[in-house]
Amino acid sequence: MPDLSVVIVGGLHADARRATVAQLLHDVPDSVVLHHDLATAAAGTVVRTIRDATGIVAAGEAPLVNDCACCALREDLVPELRRLAAASEVRLAIVELWDSVEPKAMAEVVVAGGLTVTGVITAVEPALLLPCLGNGDDLADIGLAAAATDQRTVADTFARQLEYAPVLAILDSQEADDEDRELLGQLHPTALQIPLGEGDLASAALAGFDLEAAAAAQHPACALLPVEADACGVSTFVWHRCRPFHPERLYAALEELTCAAARSRGRFWLADKPDALLHWDAAGGALCVEGAGPWLASLPDAAWELVSPTRRAAAALDWHPEHGDRCQHLVFTSPGLDRDGLERLLEHCLLTDTEYAAGRTAWKRLPPAFDTLLEI
């Protein structure tokens, strides 16, 4: 089977996504676009189209799988890409994701299918960045759910689309200002930003993509989190401590902490759950807290060989002589961020000196305020 490069283009900003696809079609000879429209799921099918620079060259339908449009996309995507790979005249397959489909899942499906992903691009309009991050609406309420059980919101979906992609295609406009552009840069400082119509998007689409590195950069244990920044009215506050949270005080502060920034994420440590690495993920005024496995310090030495080098390296950077890699590492990014107030609130949630001195046996007896959130 001839080699076929696959680039995944996603994002909730539909105009930017379409402009990105159009530029790739124009710039890369022998390229085609594969798109699954999940908007037709209510009728029981997903509509698939394949087009080149001249227009649609093929169309078809894929039936829903377990009443799930996104599942239908997963089942249909690889066979269609294989058919394109068999057509020797196709050099690049551009997978244009439907609005709320996240690139991480699709990149993993394509690679698992034995195909080569050479790029993942999220298309962004800077002027729409803050409205999306502040939108706590459920995708189901605005017709963008990918399955009947889809409980995602606009904000958390967009945040993951944005932060996973190593390349951002930028559709600028007169409505965008320096604050919008600075917010984008602080949310994903390592991304390569390519202005549409100006940058070399084709080279980025064919440069290569490391699936494992992209996953590691998003995993709460070793996430490549933003760094301290303050410019154009936008701030990123990085808070790192080696003392556990008091579960009740943190729980009481959740709403205020969640609403303190347009975006916050990281990992944290509760005193009553000393072995559990917990994931903090907030956008649009909504917070997701979930377990992300054990801290490495809680594992036997033999188990370390089963952990990725990236995870071990991240743990080493946080290592404390008494607590190991257990720590608080939370990052808050927003225009108009009250850094001092946020720091005071976070510090208040930590164990006091007296509570800390009581030791781990006493910590474990603290009220388990997070059991409901963590479904324990």
Coordinates of all heavy atoms in Angstrom, one line a residue, residues 13 22 25 29 31 48 72 88 106 179 196-197 218 245 321 359:
H13 N -14.2 26.5 15.8 CA -14.3 27.7 15.0 C -14.4 27.3 13.6 O -13.3 27.1 12.9 CB -13.1 28.6 15.3 CG -12.9 29.1 16.7 ND1 -11.8 29.7 17.1 CD2 -13.8 29.0 17.7 CE1 -12.0 30.0 18.4 NE2 -13.2 29.6 18.8
A22 N -9.0 24.7 3.2 CA -8.9 25.2 1.8 C -7.5 25.6 1.5 O -7.0 25.3 0.3 CB -9.8 26.5 1.7
L25 N -5.6 22.3 0.8 CA -5.9 21.8 -0.5 C -5.2 22.5 -1.6 O -4.8 21.9 -2.6 CB -7.5 21.9 -0.7 CG -8.3 20.7 -0.2 CD1 -9.8 21.1 -0.5 CD2 -8.0 19.4 -0.9
P29 N -0.3 19.6 -3.5 CA -0.8 18.8 -4.7 C -1.2 17.4 -4.3 O -0.7 16.8 -3.4 CB 0.4 18.8 -5.6 CG 1.4 19.9 -5.2 CD 1.1 20.0 -3.7
S31 N -3.9 16.4 -2.8 CA -4.5 16.2 -1.5 C -6.0 16.2 -1.6 O -6.6 16.7 -2.6 CB -4.1 17.4 -0.6 OG -4.5 18.6 -1.2
R48 N -20.6 11.1 4.9 CA -19.2 11.2 4.6 C -19.0 11.8 3.2 O -19.7 11.4 2.3 CB -18.5 9.8 4.6 CG -17.1 9.7 4.2 CD -16.7 8.4 3.6 NE -17.3 7.3 4.2 CZ -18.2 6.5 3.6 NH1 -18.5 6.7 2.3 NH2 -18.7 5.5 4.2
A72 N -19.5 5.9 15.0 CA -19.6 5.7 13.6 C -18.5 6.3 12.8 O -17.9 5.7 11.9 CB -21.0 6.2 13.0
S88 N -3.0 5.6 -5.6 CA -1.6 6.1 -5.6 C -1.5 7.6 -5.9 O -0.5 8.3 -5.7 CB -0.8 5.4 -6.6 OG -1.3 5.4 -7.9
M106 N -9.2 11.0 17.5 CA -9.1 10.6 16.1 C -7.6 10.3 15.7 O -7.4 9.4 14.9 CB -9.7 11.7 15.2 CG -11.2 11.9 15.4 SD -12.1 10.4 15.1 CE -12.6 9.9 16.7
E179 N -5.1 41.5 23.4 CA -5.5 40.7 24.6 C -5.9 39.3 24.1 O -5.5 38.3 24.7 CB -6.7 41.3 25.4 CG -7.1 40.5 26.6 CD -8.2 41.1 27.3 OE1 -8.0 42.0 28.1 OE2 -9.4 40.6 27.2
L196 N -3.2 32.1 8.7 CA -3.7 31.6 7.4 C -3.4 32.7 6.3 O -3.6 33.9 6.5 CB -5.1 31.4 7.5 CG -5.5 30.1 8.3 CD1 -7.0 30.0 8.5 CD2 -5.0 28.9 7.7
G197 N -2.9 32.2 5.2 CA -2.6 33.1 4.0 C -1.2 33.6 4.1 O -0.7 34.3 3.1
Q218 N -0.5 16.1 27.7 CA -1.9 16.4 28.3 C -2.2 15.6 29.6 O -3.1 15.9 30.3 CB -2.9 16.0 27.2 CG -2.9 16.9 26.0 CD -2.9 18.4 26.3 OE1 -3.9 18.8 26.9 NE2 -2.0 19.1 25.8
F245 N -3.7 19.6 50.5 CA -4.9 20.4 50.7 C -5.7 19.8 51.9 O -5.8 18.5 52.0 CB -5.8 20.4 49.5 CG -5.4 21.4 48.4 CD1 -5.2 21.0 47.1 CD2 -5.3 22.8 48.7 CE1 -4.9 21.9 46.1 CE2 -5.0 23.7 47.8 CZ -4.8 23.3 46.5
P321 N 12.0 15.2 49.4 CA 12.6 14.2 50.2 C 11.7 13.4 51.1 O 11.9 12.2 51.3 CB 13.7 14.9 51.0 CG 13.3 16.3 50.9 CD 12.6 16.5 49.6
G359 N 0.7 14.7 61.0 CA 1.2 13.6 60.3 C 0.1 12.9 59.5 O -1.1 13.1 59.6

